[in-house]
Amino acid sequence: MSSQSQNTGRRPELRHDPVANRWVIFSPARAKRPTDFKSKSPQNSNPGDNSSCPFCIGNEHECAPEIFRVPSDPNWKLRVIENLYPALSRNIEGPCEEKEDMGVPARAIAGFGFHDVVIENPVHSVHLCDMEARDIGQVLLAYKKRIQQIASVESIKYVQVFKNHGASAGASMSHSHSQLLALPIIPSAVSARFEGMNEYFKKTGKCSLCEVQAKELLIDESTHFISIVPFAATYPFEMWIIPRAHSSHFHEFDCDKMVELGGLLKLMLRKMSLQLNNPPFNFMIQTSPLQVKESELSYAHWFLQIVPQLSGAGGFEMGSGCYINPVFPEDAAKVLREVNLPVAG
């Protein structure tokens, strides 16, 4: 059946995302069937032998300085190191004062911050989704520990944890790794998300993510987490993993639940890989700014966002900030639910 005849019964729809506080256009006429949505540039498995990779065990001397490793002996399972090419510098001393005398109506501050790399595994050929849930849990605990260390620096306002998998998703190294970037400002997208959550709370008296219950958007669930395609997903087959219990900051979440989160993350990555032809992807931990008021904790709820790279942004998206998604979230969730895999353990 052609994509045109497949989609004639579905009209375009605009949906508002109360979390990001923005509109998304769903236009099924622009898409194939959801089951045909495959990556055109699948990521090949890492070669097993890569002696020149600085992230491999035995090549530690080729990396930037180490912050910590787990365990703390030569046979490590993960390492956290400084980024050799940091976006911000940890060596700028003094407060990040604003400068306005630049002849333009704009502001600037010194580029102080922390940019770290988490090497998730010592073996070059092992991806995150290949690891056991307990080992993915250790990676998540490393994020938590590093954020807690950075949080003591008063001028840092926000820490973004992210992973780029595949060159087109921004990865410059094929060895499985993720990053943390600690900023002296709160990014505009984070502020918009925070304000969106606040608006929903002011209207309803409830947290927008605690309220997520739609079964047609559910992919899978565990004791303490659910995984969904969000109601107004910005990107096709975007996924969120949300803690069931209200929690504002990822780095304050219970350590004993990280293995469970690792198992659900592994399951989502494997489903995405199998159904979408192993696409490049990004994942981000969307948490709250480090310094928030007590009253703001009631509506701030962290989640883990997974975005497969299946379509690019065009001029409309860049100009308007409004995205066009060719796959309705309930259709994407159904496709992902139907990928039968055992619960990761």
Side-chain angles (χ1 to χ4, degrees):
M1 184 180 292
S2 70
S3 60
Q4 183 174 355
S5 59
Q6 178 76 13
N7 290 302
T8 51
R10 208 78 186 265
R11 294 181 177 181
E13 184 173 299
L14 282 85
R15 293 186 178 184
H16 182 258
D17 178 358
V19 176
N21 196 23
R22 65 182 176 193
W23 290 89
V24 178
I25 299 171
F26 290 88
S27 183
R30 299 167 64 89
K32 301 175 183 178
R33 292 171 297 179
T35 51
D36 293 338
F37 228 96
K38 307 281 187 181
S39 172
K40 296 177 182 177
S41 55
Q43 298 308 295
N44 296 325
S45 299
N46 288 348
D49 179 21
N50 197 324
S51 58
S52 64
C53 173
F55 289 176
C56 287
I57 193 164
N59 294 343
E60 294 85 354
H61 60 285
E62 297 182 22
C63 291
E66 180 179 295
I67 299 167
F68 64 85
R69 63 172 64 183
V70 180
S72 57
D73 60 50
N75 295 316
W76 52 270
K77 288 192 171 182
L78 69 85
R79 297 174 68 226
V80 179
I81 64 172
E82 297 179 15
N83 194 308
L84 192 60
Y85 305 102
L88 296 171
S89 174
R90 69 192 72 216
N91 299 318
I92 296 175
E93 297 182 0
C96 293
E97 297 179 351
E98 290 191 7
K99 299 183 294 182
E100 295 189 7
D101 187 18
M102 299 175 66
V104 292
R107 298 178 296 165
I109 61 174
F112 171 75
F114 298 89
H115 192 175
D116 301 333
V117 175
V118 179
I119 304 172
E120 299 158 353
N121 193 287
V123 181
H124 193 84
S125 59
V126 177
H127 290 298
L128 190 67
C129 64
D130 300 323
M131 295 164 56
E132 298 294 328
R134 63 178 179 273
D135 294 326
I136 300 175
Q138 286 297 318
V139 172
L140 298 167
L141 285 170
Y143 300 157
K144 173 183 169 80
K145 177 179 177 179
R146 185 59 183 141
I147 296 171
Q148 288 173 330
Q149 292 173 341
I150 293 171
S152 63
V153 181
E154 186 178 356
S155 58
I156 295 299
K157 308 300 182 188
Y158 189 77
V159 182
Q160 181 68 66
V161 176
F162 63 99
K163 178 179 176 65
N164 304 330
H165 174 78
S168 61
S172 57
M173 300 283 291
S174 59
H175 192 123
S176 191
H177 69 286
S178 39
Q179 302 179 61
L180 297 91
L181 192 51
L183 303 156
I185 51 95
I186 299 174
S188 56
V190 176
S191 296
R193 185 175 75 242
F194 215 55
E195 183 56 33
M197 290 177 164
N198 184 23
E199 283 191 17
Y200 185 90
F201 184 78
K202 286 191 291 187
K203 289 178 182 177
T204 67
K206 298 176 181 178
C207 164
S208 57
L209 290 185
C210 288
E211 287 295 288
V212 174
Q213 296 177 351
K215 290 183 178 180
E216 66 269 19
L217 300 176
L218 184 71
I219 305 169
D220 215 303
E221 57 188 327
S222 63
T223 304
H224 298 102
F225 300 93
I226 62 171
S227 60
I228 65 165
V229 177
F231 171 76
T234 304
Y235 309 98
F237 291 91
E238 176 182 351
M239 294 172 274
W240 292 3
I241 300 178
I242 307 169
R244 293 180 186 271
H246 187 76
S247 177
S248 299
H249 288 96
F250 171 80
H251 70 278
E252 294 177 351
F253 200 66
D254 295 342
C255 292
D256 59 0
K257 296 183 177 67
M258 290 299 182
V259 173
E260 181 186 333
L261 176 58
L264 193 55
L265 175 57
K266 175 185 174 80
L267 183 61
M268 293 304 100
L269 294 178
R270 292 179 68 209
K271 280 176 174 279
M272 177 180 66
S273 178
L274 284 172
Q275 180 57 53
L276 303 177
N277 197 25
N278 191 22
F281 69 85
N282 307 93
F283 79 58
M284 294 70 65
I285 295 177
Q286 305 290 17
T287 187
S288 301
L290 291 174
Q291 294 116 20
V292 296
K293 299 175 184 176
E294 188 72 26
S295 60
E296 295 171 328
L297 296 175
S298 298
Y299 57 80
H301 195 136
W302 71 265
F303 61 98
L304 193 153
Q305 178 186 22
I306 306 169
V307 179
Q309 292 294 332
L310 300 170
S311 60
F316 172 77
E317 288 84 358
M318 289 186 280
S320 67
C322 182
Y323 283 74
I324 300 174
N325 187 338
V327 183
F328 274 94
E330 48 270 37
D331 295 338
K334 183 175 185 294
V335 168
L336 291 167
R337 273 198 307 272
E338 291 173 352
V339 180
N340 292 317
L341 287 169
V343 176

